[in-house]
Amino acid sequence: KKMVRYRECLKNHAAAMAGNATDGCGEFMPSGEEGNIEALNCSACNCHTNFHRKEIEGESSSWNCYHSPQHINRIGRKVILGHHHKNLIAPEAFGYPTGTN
């Protein structure tokens, strides 16, 4: 059985305002005993485990893929892509500014 660890919280609290603000929670700390539903929430930030970066023992992390310079668009916003980078829709399709005139 591989060991699973949840790391920093990645929840973007400013997503509705097209911004980026995380709470800085550095590592998941369960709110309750293992096996209880409370253990799925972090006692530090109160977010569910789904918002924390998952690290599985023996598997390479895709974390670097999300934070490499090639994923920052022309106006400096980070663009988070799916695991396989398919079905990507350009920001222009949604009416977002791209920094070109």
Side-chain angles (χ1 to χ4, degrees), residues 1-80:
K1 185 177 179 181
K2 294 183 180 182
M3 185 169 164
V4 175
R5 293 184 70 176
Y6 293 94
R7 297 297 188 168
E8 62 276 349
C9 184
L10 304 174
K11 183 175 182 179
N12 182 2
H13 297 278
M17 300 181 301
N20 188 355
T22 57
D23 62 12
C25 177
E27 186 159 347
F28 179 81
M29 293 182 288
S31 293
E33 296 287 325
E34 187 175 339
N36 291 337
I37 195 151
E38 292 89 18
L40 298 175
N41 289 333
C42 181
S43 62
C45 66
N46 205 32
C47 289
H48 192 273
T49 55
N50 291 343
F51 290 105
H52 288 258
R53 181 174 61 90
K54 186 176 183 179
E55 189 176 83
I56 302 172
E57 181 182 32
E59 291 186 12
S60 63
S61 173
S62 60
W63 179 248
N64 292 333
C65 170
Y66 293 116
H67 292 282
S68 65
Q70 67 197 26
H71 293 122
I72 297 177
N73 68 10
R74 290 173 280 202
I75 58 172
R77 290 186 182 141
K78 288 184 180 177
V79 179
I80 304 299

